[in-house]
Amino acid sequence: DGRVVDHAVADLSLAETGRHQLRLAEHEMPGLMSLREEYAGKAPLAGARITGSLHMTVQTAVLIETLVSLGADVRWASCNIFSTDDAAAAAVVVGPTGTPDAPTGIPVYAWKGETLEEYWWCTDQVLRWPADASGSTGPNMILDDGGDATMLVHKGVEFEGAGAVPATTEDDNEEYAVVLETLRRTLAADPQRWTAVAKGIKGVTEETTTGVLRLYDRMRDGTLLFPAINVNDSVTKSKFDNKYGTRHSIIDGINRATDVLIGGKVAVVAGYGDVGKGSAESLRGQGARVIVTEIDPINALQAAMDGYQVAVLDDVIGTADIVITATGNKDVVTAEQIARMKDKAILGNIGHFDNEIDMAGLARTPGVTRTEIKPQVHEWTFPEGRSVIVLSEGRLLNLGNATGHPSFVMSNSFTNQVMAQIELFTKADEYPLGVHVLPKVLDEKVARLHLAALGVQLTELTKSQAEYLGVDVAGPYKTDAYRY
Ligand code: NAI
């Protein structure tokens, strides 16, 4: 349509290599590709203006082009300063038929290694749309991972209502100060900006545990502004991506960052939820002796039953060769604990935010120095000469040091995402203000779409068996309480 594709990516000349990677990823993403087939010519997302904030990887590129093939308009930013694959970002902007000189794809604002200021500028840019017929310059849908885009809109509305953006920051948080500055700037230019944007949004679909937590918080305190679908708690998301995806990508990140032999080493995994289970299994698979820490007795017992030693971090921090946080909580490894780690031990986080490891406290440790080994790998040396290797500055290491989860598992997650976008956009009356999960039949459908590629032969219930179990032959097969 001759529209200029506005964008801010590293280098459009990477589009060709990015396109090749997308083409191979499509082969590994049967769920997304079959949605493209199922909805060919039907355009269920026609009229949707989707702002996406989710790691701009090769797999996400296939998600974006699936949304577009279903009729949506899309603008995209990454949800982490280190997680963009620059070739994938270039391929999405250039599009399947464009050239670097004449891109015809999708506006993307993301590159690997953004500053915090650049990150929040990008997030703001993808929430700014050319005016539609009704004059709206915002999205009507958000697709979020960790909730940053949703948070910017909500905080904007909150401060508009209060008449001012606060000058001080909570907890001295450097990143929150940048959020406040971004909101100050946008509200100076347009004092009603965020109320107008929020009014146009039909809903958000949220990818991850941490983002979902933020949505339930808002629901509880009555500040949620639009309906949400919790994609994370589809079984075919959290029990696959968080676990099997992590099982693949955690050692990929550690290996690319350090190339240290994992076998025989002592590895501590903090948190034995879905991500912790995948992390622990992965490290054990390499021959590490894995120790788990937990605060929840159920998860602690699970870890013990799975054969792991369960300890408290203080008791084992001094003997660990590798320490990984996978909790989604804050202050899990303190600066004081880092100072007690073994010489050249490796410290990394695979939870969503960078507050699991107290990086700010580490930087304030008297006499400590930081040496860049290579981007996203830093050696922190203490005055007495011992040093610790920190991955991705405490941000999720599988995306900062490697390329995140592989395509096949992300196809499961993103098929849920696309279905959630279709549900919220086309059946708004079925999803009132609140946080919803997808119906189980859709969860089962996502799994079904991935069986053939693995040669899985599914047994079919007979009618009398189905009656005996009290389910339908076509499913759903389990009650909502079933835990898999
Ligand atoms: P989860 O809730 O299943 O597991 C977290 C576990 O950490 C819980 O069992 C909890 O009891 C435990 N925990 C909390 N505080 C702790 C502490 N101080 N010490 C030890 N254990 C503690 O959550 P899930 O799904 O495993 O996600 C964890 C984090 O990983 C979240 O931030 C999520 O958003 C993120 N995530 C990252 C991915 C990646 O690719 N890097 C993929 C999926 C999720």
Coordinates of all heavy atoms in Angstrom, one line a residue, residues 3 36 43-46 48 50 61-76 92 96 104-107 418:
R3 N 2.8 2.3 2.1 CA 3.0 2.9 3.4 C 4.5 2.7 3.8 O 5.1 1.7 3.6 CB 2.1 2.2 4.5 CG 2.2 2.7 5.9 CD 1.1 2.0 6.7 NE 1.3 0.6 6.7 CZ 1.8 -0.1 7.7 NH1 2.3 0.6 8.8 NH2 2.0 -1.4 7.7
R36 N -2.4 -20.5 10.3 CA -2.4 -19.7 9.0 C -3.3 -20.4 8.0 O -4.1 -19.8 7.3 CB -1.0 -19.6 8.4 CG -0.1 -18.7 9.3 CD 1.2 -18.4 8.5 NE 2.2 -17.9 9.4 CZ 3.4 -17.5 9.1 NH1 3.8 -17.6 7.8 NH2 4.2 -17.0 9.9
A43 N -9.4 -13.9 7.8 CA -8.9 -12.7 8.5 C -9.7 -12.4 9.8 O -10.3 -11.3 9.9 CB -9.0 -11.5 7.5
P44 N -9.6 -13.3 10.8 CA -10.3 -13.0 12.0 C -9.8 -11.8 12.8 O -10.5 -11.3 13.6 CB -10.1 -14.3 12.8 CG -8.9 -14.9 12.3 CD -8.9 -14.6 10.8
L45 N -8.5 -11.4 12.5 CA -8.0 -10.3 13.2 C -8.0 -9.0 12.3 O -7.3 -8.0 12.7 CB -6.5 -10.6 13.6 CG -6.4 -11.7 14.7 CD1 -4.9 -12.1 15.0 CD2 -7.1 -11.3 16.0
A46 N -8.8 -9.0 11.3 CA -8.9 -7.8 10.5 C -9.4 -6.7 11.4 O -10.4 -6.8 12.1 CB -9.9 -8.0 9.3
A48 N -7.7 -5.5 13.9 CA -6.9 -5.5 15.1 C -5.6 -4.7 14.9 O -5.0 -4.8 13.9 CB -6.6 -6.9 15.5
I50 N -2.4 -4.5 16.9 CA -1.8 -5.2 18.0 C -0.4 -4.6 18.3 O 0.5 -4.5 17.4 CB -1.6 -6.7 17.7 CG1 -2.9 -7.4 17.4 CG2 -0.9 -7.4 18.9 CD1 -2.8 -8.8 16.9
A61 N 9.2 -13.6 15.3 CA 9.0 -13.2 13.9 C 7.9 -14.0 13.2 O 7.0 -13.5 12.5 CB 10.3 -13.2 13.1
V62 N 8.0 -15.3 13.5 CA 7.0 -16.2 12.9 C 5.6 -15.9 13.5 O 4.6 -15.9 12.8 CB 7.3 -17.7 13.0 CG1 6.3 -18.6 12.4 CG2 8.7 -18.0 12.4
L63 N 5.6 -15.6 14.8 CA 4.3 -15.2 15.5 C 3.8 -13.9 14.8 O 2.6 -13.9 14.5 CB 4.6 -15.0 17.0 CG 3.5 -14.2 17.7 CD1 2.2 -15.0 17.8 CD2 4.0 -13.9 19.2
I64 N 4.6 -12.9 14.7 CA 4.2 -11.7 14.1 C 3.6 -11.9 12.7 O 2.5 -11.4 12.4 CB 5.4 -10.7 14.0 CG1 5.8 -10.3 15.4 CG2 5.0 -9.4 13.2 CD1 7.1 -9.5 15.4
E65 N 4.3 -12.6 11.9 CA 3.8 -12.8 10.5 C 2.5 -13.7 10.5 O 1.7 -13.6 9.6 CB 4.9 -13.4 9.6 CG 6.0 -12.3 9.5 CD 7.1 -12.6 8.4 OE1 7.1 -13.7 7.9 OE2 7.9 -11.6 8.2
T66 N 2.3 -14.5 11.5 CA 1.1 -15.3 11.6 C -0.1 -14.3 12.0 O -1.2 -14.4 11.4 CB 1.2 -16.4 12.7 OG1 2.2 -17.2 12.4 CG2 -0.1 -17.2 12.8
L67 N 0.1 -13.4 12.9 CA -0.9 -12.4 13.2 C -1.3 -11.6 12.0 O -2.4 -11.3 11.7 CB -0.4 -11.5 14.4 CG -0.1 -12.1 15.7 CD1 0.6 -11.2 16.7 CD2 -1.5 -12.5 16.4
V68 N -0.2 -11.2 11.2 CA -0.5 -10.4 10.0 C -1.3 -11.2 9.0 O -2.2 -10.7 8.4 CB 0.9 -9.9 9.4 CG1 0.7 -9.3 8.0 CG2 1.5 -8.9 10.4
S69 N -0.9 -12.5 8.9 CA -1.6 -13.3 7.9 C -3.1 -13.5 8.3 O -3.9 -13.9 7.5 CB -0.9 -14.7 7.7 OG -1.4 -15.6 8.6
L70 N -3.4 -13.3 9.6 CA -4.8 -13.4 10.1 C -5.5 -12.1 10.0 O -6.6 -11.9 10.5 CB -4.8 -14.0 11.5 CG -5.0 -15.5 11.6 CD1 -4.0 -16.3 10.8 CD2 -4.9 -15.9 13.1
G71 N -4.8 -11.1 9.4 CA -5.5 -9.8 9.2 C -5.1 -8.7 10.1 O -5.6 -7.5 9.9
A72 N -4.2 -8.9 11.1 CA -3.9 -7.9 12.0 C -2.9 -6.9 11.5 O -2.1 -7.2 10.7 CB -3.4 -8.5 13.3
D73 N -3.0 -5.6 12.0 CA -1.9 -4.7 11.9 C -1.1 -4.8 13.2 O -1.6 -5.0 14.3 CB -2.4 -3.2 11.8 CG -2.8 -2.9 10.4 OD1 -2.2 -3.4 9.4 OD2 -3.7 -2.0 10.3
V74 N 0.3 -4.7 13.1 CA 1.1 -5.0 14.2 C 2.2 -4.0 14.3 O 2.8 -3.6 13.3 CB 1.7 -6.5 14.1 CG1 2.7 -6.8 15.2 CG2 0.6 -7.5 13.9
R75 N 2.6 -3.6 15.6 CA 3.8 -2.9 15.9 C 4.5 -3.6 17.0 O 3.9 -4.1 17.9 CB 3.5 -1.4 16.3 CG 2.9 -0.6 15.2 CD 2.5 0.8 15.7 NE 3.7 1.7 16.0 CZ 4.4 2.3 15.1 NH1 4.0 2.2 13.8 NH2 5.4 3.1 15.4
W76 N 5.9 -3.7 16.9 CA 6.5 -4.6 17.9 C 7.8 -4.0 18.5 O 8.6 -3.4 17.9 CB 7.0 -5.9 17.1 CG 6.9 -7.1 18.0 CD1 7.9 -7.6 18.8 CD2 5.8 -7.9 18.2 NE1 7.5 -8.7 19.5 CE2 6.1 -8.9 19.2 CE3 4.4 -7.9 17.8 CZ2 5.3 -9.9 19.6 CZ3 3.6 -8.9 18.2 CH2 4.0 -9.9 19.1
V92 N 11.6 -9.0 9.8 CA 10.2 -8.6 10.0 C 10.0 -7.2 9.4 O 8.9 -7.0 8.7 CB 9.9 -8.6 11.5 CG1 8.5 -8.0 11.7 CG2 10.0 -10.0 12.0
P96 N 8.5 -10.4 3.8 CA 8.8 -11.5 2.9 C 9.1 -11.0 1.5 O 9.8 -11.7 0.7 CB 7.5 -12.4 2.9 CG 6.7 -11.9 4.0 CD 7.1 -10.5 4.4
T104 N 8.7 -3.6 3.3 CA 7.2 -3.7 3.2 C 6.6 -4.5 4.3 O 5.5 -4.9 4.3 CB 6.8 -4.4 1.8 OG1 7.4 -5.7 1.8 CG2 7.2 -3.6 0.6
G105 N 7.4 -4.7 5.4 CA 7.0 -5.5 6.5 C 6.3 -4.7 7.6 O 5.4 -3.9 7.4
I106 N 6.7 -5.0 8.8 CA 6.0 -4.6 10.0 C 7.0 -3.6 10.8 O 8.2 -3.9 10.9 CB 5.7 -5.8 10.9 CG1 4.7 -6.7 10.2 CG2 5.2 -5.4 12.3 CD1 3.4 -6.0 9.8
P107 N 6.4 -2.5 11.4 CA 7.3 -1.7 12.2 C 7.8 -2.4 13.5 O 7.0 -2.9 14.3 CB 6.3 -0.5 12.7 CG 5.2 -0.5 11.6 CD 5.1 -2.0 11.2
V418 N -1.9 -16.6 19.7 CA -2.7 -16.2 18.6 C -4.2 -16.5 18.9 O -5.1 -15.7 18.7 CB -2.3 -16.9 17.3 CG1 -3.2 -16.6 16.2 CG2 -0.9 -16.5 16.9

